């Protein structure tokens, strides 16, 4: 849960261009929020991180209702509430968020949205997924050529199908060299 919260804080810091911090610690009453950042005129942006794995969207919606209602118990003014979840995008949950009647703006970021933000910022991508690190000493032109070669090899493999057994005739380990 802590790594997901840190990841969400980094993503929100990128989106809003203000530093987000973890609110409180495990075991403390947090009034429905995990992250916060100050915005203009003493108002705050807050976020709730839901790192759910096998959870129903109905449960997510019910929990978010409670969390959003709890924001009123905070001792500071909230301008925006952001729900962040590891669940896939869901139209019913989006409609639920859009139809809320609250005094704060409410937004939801699903896992696809979080991934999109992370993949667009190499420093954040490599922080959480170091296996995707690129050696910056390798010139971009060479990297692009290497990627083109891998794509060409894949095309050649799919064009050279053995019609009798429906399997590629080129040895698969050749591809692994380029990956």
């Amino acid at each position: 849960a802590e790594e997901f919260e840190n990841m969400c804080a980094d993503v929100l810091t990128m989106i809003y261009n203000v530093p987000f911090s973890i609110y409180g610690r495990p075991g403390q009453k947090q009034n429905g929020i995990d992250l916060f950042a100050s915005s203009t005129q003493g108002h705050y942006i807050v976020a709730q991180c839901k790192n759910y794995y096998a959870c129903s969207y109905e449960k997510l919606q019910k929990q978010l209702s409670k969390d959003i209602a709890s924001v009123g118990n905070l001792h500071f003014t909230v301008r925006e509430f952001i729900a962040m979840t590891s669940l896939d995008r869901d139209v019913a949950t989006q409609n639920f968020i859009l139809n809320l009647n609250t005094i704060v703006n409410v937004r939801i970021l699903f896992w696809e949205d979080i991934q999109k933000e992370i993949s667009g910022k190499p420093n954040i991508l490599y922080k959480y997924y170091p296996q995707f690190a690129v050696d910056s000493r390798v010139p971009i032109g060479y990297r692009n050529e290497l990627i083109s070669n891998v794509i060409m090899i894949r095309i050649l493999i799919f064009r050279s199908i053995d019609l009798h057994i429906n399997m590629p005739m080129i040895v698969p380990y050749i591809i692994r060299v380029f990956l």
Side-chain angles (χ1 to χ4, degrees):
E2 187 176 329
E3 183 177 24
F4 184 68
E5 288 178 4
N6 288 329
M7 180 185 291
C8 289
D10 287 340
V11 167
L12 291 175
T13 297
M14 287 184 321
I15 292 172
Y16 288 90
N17 203 29
V18 293
F20 275 77
S21 300
I22 293 179
Y23 186 69
R25 65 176 185 272
Q28 290 186 314
K29 186 172 180 170
Q30 297 169 301
N31 291 309
I33 67 171
D34 293 319
L35 308 172
F36 73 101
S38 63
S39 64
T40 58
Q41 302 164 347
H43 295 105
Y44 287 83
I45 304 168
V46 299
Q48 176 57 248
C49 307
K50 298 294 184 192
N51 190 12
Y52 289 158
Y53 174 63
C55 171
S56 70
Y57 288 99
E58 291 79 18
K59 179 181 175 186
L60 172 66
Q61 293 168 22
K62 186 177 180 180
Q63 186 59 51
L64 288 176
S65 287
K66 290 178 186 176
D67 293 336
I68 293 165
S70 294
V71 167
N73 298 327
L74 294 168
H75 299 289
F76 51 86
T77 305
V78 174
R79 179 177 64 107
E80 186 171 0
F81 179 97
I82 305 155
M84 300 183 77
T85 180
S86 57
L87 293 174
D88 291 335
R89 188 173 293 115
D90 175 62
V91 71
T93 303
Q94 288 174 312
N95 288 336
F96 165 79
I97 295 293
L98 291 170
N99 289 312
L100 285 173
N101 186 14
T102 67
I103 59 171
V104 299
N105 294 328
V106 180
R107 176 181 183 190
I108 187 163
L109 295 174
F110 292 95
W111 184 240
E112 294 94 340
D113 305 313
I114 296 168
Q115 284 180 316
K116 181 180 177 184
E117 293 296 331
I118 291 172
S119 66
K121 298 291 184 194
N123 57 330
I124 303 298
L125 177 68
Y126 305 146
K127 178 177 180 179
Y128 295 101
Y129 301 100
Q131 65 271 27
F132 294 122
V134 175
D135 186 344
S136 61
R137 296 172 295 175
V138 177
I140 189 71
Y142 180 73
R143 280 187 266 160
N144 288 339
E145 183 180 335
L146 187 59
I147 291 167
S148 296
N149 289 340
V150 169
I151 292 169
M152 185 54 70
I153 287 174
R154 287 183 178 167
I155 290 169
L156 290 173
I157 287 174
F158 286 100
R159 286 186 180 167
S160 59
I161 301 286
D162 184 335
L163 299 176
H164 299 291
I165 59 173
N166 235 4
M167 296 291 290
M169 294 179 350
I170 299 176
V171 182
Y173 73 83
I174 294 173
I175 296 176
R176 283 191 227 122
V177 171
F178 293 99
L179 297 178

